[in-house]
Amino acid sequence: MTATDIHRTIDAVWRIESARLIAGLARMVRDVGLAEELAQDALVTALERWPESGVPDNPGAWLMTTAKHRAIDLLRRKKLIERKHESLAYESESDAVDSKSELETMLDDDIGDDLLRLIFTACHPVLSAEARAALTLRLLGGLTTDEIARAFLVPEPTISQRIVRAKRTLAEKQIPFEVPRGEERDERLASVLEVIYLIFNEGYAATSGDDWIRPELCNEAMRVGRVLAGLAPQEPEVFGLLALMEIQASRLRARTTAAGEPILLPDQDRSLWDPLLIRRGLTALERAEKLGGARTPYALQAAIAACHARARTADATDWNRIAALYAELTQVLPSPVVELNRAVAVSMASGPAAGLALIDALSDEPLLRNYHLLPSVRGDLLSRLQRHAEARDEFERAASMARNVRERHFLQRRAAACADAMRSPD
Amino acid sequence: MRFMMLMFPADQCNAAPDALPSAEAVEQMMRFNKSLQEAGVLLALDGLHPPSAGARVSIVDGKVRVVDGPFAEAKEVVGGYWIIDVGSRDEAIAWASRCPIGAGNTIEVRQVFEMTEFPPELRKAAEGFDDPRRPAAS
């Protein structure tokens, strides 16, 4: 292996091992930030040594042992050794570098619990949503700050700062490294799911920048979602979210032209939809429903996505069912954005005029004042009603509000098409 | 990126039709499978009956020829597969490296084609195929 090969191998090993490594270390040192630094130190040591010694047979165990030794040194230096002595002595004795038994220990259920603790800690509501997202990608996804910065299109120092501050906040507020119980668990789980879906959505319909979709963020979110589903197999909302992400992601390849312009659902080439992800999404949805979660927000949204996935052609879409599901969704998740989507479904089921009536009821909604999809949907309905001049105005307004370049171009083209239709009415 | 890891077990070529892996081998493999699942990368997997219970179908001189297993001339036969979703080829290799395969066994790592990798004329040729993994039309 060349040095480059070794580095690529180390990157790959890091991707696989880092979350478990950090989780295991956090249990020892009870500080997520410190655990992450220890894991990073072990990575640096690997980068120094492996090009000479070769990649060990069990790289994960090697990293864990190295990091544990560092942890012990550090705790000793910090004179915490008295308090930690017994547990650390035990951990230290059980170390066996490069042995299969170490890997087996790492693969046992304890690490699963540690990972779950890590997810709950990274997504603690004491942190801002942005900080939770960055920390989750860093600790659970094993992404570098540079990769996270590129994914969110912000400068690297911003992400770096955000993560440093988040770790400091967790330490200062003495957030325990644990899985919450009882009522708190539900609240905290909601926070975890929110972060995962935020990451997914930032990839699925990027709010800003040149690319409308960034699949790597979607993949990261799904990965964390699958990890969570494995760790919390009785939580219906986890499977609802996983179903929603997998079904939506099945359309990723069909949602843009080769040049990166958005393609709307009815115009997508459905043969490009990923059948494996659809199948997995539907299975997850079934699971959510079996666990009693059919009427939860994520499962309802997944059920809507499933209606599209089941339709062989756009014309075959069961819009009545979709409109009914949106009506249910407005009950459990009252939000003007959901209402806007319901209006679209109603317009497809019962005609554009019915949809427009619902949209117009939203025109004074303060939460939608800067939301480009409101004029965009309104423009679409107006153009279907042949009211081209009004439609053009709406698309222009939407274009001026859209922050994503691709979306803005798309809306400008639609405005131009309306202008054409005004000149040559058919 | 989606990869298939194909397992080529050395002892599979001449295994009896009803041969089963040992409990220990299954336990080790399940631990590996579980680690794939817990890492959120596992999409699908299957293990296959030995080739001695299978058959090979080929066209020889324009005629269909069926040969029942075991296949004397075969050096390598597939014993099972995993489909994983990972960030890079290196990561797929790193996962394969962690698989508890015994001496002499091999895992081949291959990227799965995606429809979007095909040029339009190839996609056109594939049109009309109803992928069985797609849900039945409602």
Side-chain angles (χ1 to χ4, degrees):
Chain A
M1 271 204 213
T2 66
T4 322
D5 287 341
I6 299 260
H7 278 221
R8 280 170 39 198
T9 301
I10 294 174
D11 282 349
V13 167
W14 179 252
R15 273 278 282 172
I16 295 172
E17 302 292 348
S18 63
R20 306 159 63 77
L21 203 54
I22 295 166
L25 290 164
R27 172 160 46 96
M28 278 175 75
V29 298
R30 298 277 147 193
D31 178 335
V32 169
L34 180 58
E36 201 242 347
E37 280 158 33
L38 289 164
Q40 285 287 339
D41 284 351
L43 175 67
V44 170
T45 310
L47 285 165
E48 286 165 6
R49 291 202 195 151
W50 292 4
E52 300 278 317
S53 66
V55 178
D57 287 341
N58 189 339
W62 192 99
L63 287 170
M64 183 56 112
T65 307
T66 306
K68 270 185 184 171
H69 287 313
R70 296 253 170 170
I72 293 162
D73 286 350
L74 193 87
L75 291 173
R76 200 171 276 149
R77 272 205 307 278
K78 286 189 169 180
K79 298 190 192 304
L80 285 170
I81 199 69
E82 295 84 1
R83 192 149 61 82
K84 297 278 182 181
H85 189 264
E86 276 173 47
S87 65
L88 285 178
Y90 171 75
E91 301 251 11
S92 175
E93 273 161 27
S94 65
D95 284 345
V97 188
D98 288 355
S99 79
K100 279 273 175 193
S101 71
E102 176 77 12
L103 178 66
E104 281 160 17
T105 321
M106 287 174 64
L107 290 174
D108 71 12
D109 287 334
D110 272 346
I111 269 291
D113 292 346
D114 289 339
L115 263 183
L116 198 54
R117 290 184 191 111
L118 187 62
I119 294 175
F120 272 103
T121 309
C123 297
H124 198 284
V126 75
L127 305 171
S128 72
E130 282 175 334
R132 278 182 267 164
L135 202 56
T136 299
L137 288 173
R138 175 81 168 162
L139 300 180
L140 275 312
L143 267 59
T144 63
T145 48
D146 186 47
E147 285 168 326
I148 301 168
R150 268 185 283 135
F152 283 118
L153 303 181
V154 293
E156 200 268 344
T158 309
I159 290 293
S160 195
Q161 269 300 311
R162 201 174 280 171
I163 290 172
V164 167
R165 245 182 273 130
K167 290 194 288 198
R168 197 189 302 141
T169 305
L170 290 177
E172 281 169 6
K173 307 250 172 186
Q174 299 187 334
I175 302 300
F177 185 65
E178 65 183 23
V179 175
R181 291 175 192 283
E183 263 179 50
E184 199 200 345
R185 184 185 164 102
D186 292 346
E187 272 172 45
R188 295 275 303 277
L189 183 64
S191 172
V192 170
L193 299 180
E194 186 194 333
V195 172
I196 296 174
Y197 197 42
L198 185 140
I199 294 169
F200 182 86
N201 263 326
E202 195 49 39
Y204 195 67
T207 50
S208 59
D210 288 339
D211 294 319
W212 188 50
I213 53 174
R214 293 198 279 277
E216 67 275 23
L217 275 181
C218 296
N219 289 335
E220 275 315 312
M222 283 192 287
R223 189 163 166 151
V224 178
R226 289 176 194 143
V227 171
L228 187 60
L231 296 172
Q234 300 307 320
E235 297 287 354
E237 277 285 68
V238 172
F239 287 89
L241 175 61
L242 189 57
L244 175 60
M245 293 193 294
E246 303 221 65
I247 299 174
Q248 285 189 324
S250 75
R251 304 199 283 264
L252 274 177
R253 308 256 173 209
R255 291 177 79 233
T256 52
T257 64
E261 308 290 341
I263 304 175
L264 295 184
L265 194 59
D267 304 324
Q268 288 172 14
D269 175 354
R270 293 181 182 223
S271 70
L272 296 182
W273 289 3
D274 187 327
L276 183 57
L277 285 182
I278 293 177
R279 166 77 79 87
R280 288 177 57 88
L282 293 176
T283 307
L285 179 57
E286 240 170 66
R287 177 78 181 256
E289 287 167 350
K290 268 201 195 105
L291 291 169
R295 297 290 161 257
T296 55
Y298 292 118
L300 282 169
Q301 292 174 80
I304 292 164
C307 286
H308 293 298
R310 287 196 184 94
R312 286 283 189 274
T313 62
D315 292 342
T317 309
D318 186 351
W319 285 107
N320 281 315
R321 175 158 166 74
I322 294 175
L325 287 164
Y326 269 120
E328 279 194 67
L329 188 58
T330 54
Q331 301 295 310
V332 294
L333 189 73
S335 118
V337 174
V338 173
E339 191 60 20
L340 181 63
N341 282 307
R342 183 167 85 89
V344 174
V346 167
S347 83
M348 296 304 289
S350 317
L356 197 60
L358 291 173
I359 298 266
D360 287 343
L362 291 170
S363 56
D364 294 330
E365 180 55 59
L367 280 171
L368 295 182
R369 193 170 296 142
N370 297 313
Y371 193 53
H372 65 284
L373 288 181
L374 179 63
S376 163
V377 169
R378 196 156 188 279
D380 186 59
L381 298 182
L382 287 166
S383 86
R384 280 162 62 194
L385 290 165
Q386 312 295 322
R387 291 158 65 176
H388 298 300
E390 292 164 85
R392 181 204 51 198
D393 293 349
E394 291 289 0
F395 282 128
E396 279 172 359
R397 202 154 69 88
S400 71
M401 290 155 89
R403 284 192 290 143
N404 183 282
V405 178
R406 302 288 187 180
E407 235 179 336
R408 191 156 61 232
H409 289 167
F410 176 79
L411 292 164
Q412 283 162 348
R413 279 201 307 279
R414 289 215 65 182
C418 290
D420 286 347
M422 283 161 67
R423 280 194 291 276
S424 55
D426 47 16
Chain B
M1 295 162 95
R2 202 166 284 175
F3 287 84
M4 181 177 271
M5 299 192 290
L6 292 144
M7 168 73 116
F8 293 95
D11 57 0
Q12 189 86 344
C13 289
N14 298 307
D18 56 353
L20 291 169
S22 71
E24 194 197 3
V26 169
E27 198 190 311
Q28 276 191 3
M29 201 51 84
M30 284 307 144
R31 209 176 285 136
F32 173 67
N33 294 344
K34 200 174 157 214
S35 70
L36 286 169
Q37 191 159 36
E38 283 175 352
V41 298
L42 182 64
L43 294 182
L45 79 169
D46 276 303
L48 307 180
H49 280 280
S52 48
R56 285 193 163 180
V57 180
S58 54
I59 307 286
V60 178
D61 298 331
K63 288 201 173 103
V64 173
R65 191 175 74 156
V66 179
V67 176
D68 284 327
F71 316 114
E73 72 280 17
K75 288 196 194 72
E76 281 182 324
V77 292
V78 179
Y81 71 90
W82 299 260
I83 293 181
I84 57 172
D85 194 9
V86 292
S88 66
R89 181 174 170 274
D90 293 311
E91 202 186 328
I93 293 170
W95 276 113
S97 311
R98 295 170 52 130
C99 182
I101 45 173
N105 300 333
T106 304
I107 292 181
E108 193 169 304
V109 176
R110 305 270 298 270
Q111 193 175 351
V112 176
F113 257 128
E114 304 209 29
M115 207 40 130
T116 41
E117 292 178 68
F118 290 137
E121 65 270 21
L122 276 185
R123 260 194 254 157
K124 188 105 184 117
E127 230 168 55
F129 169 67
D130 238 353
D131 195 300
R133 291 169 298 184
R134 285 278 290 277
S138 55

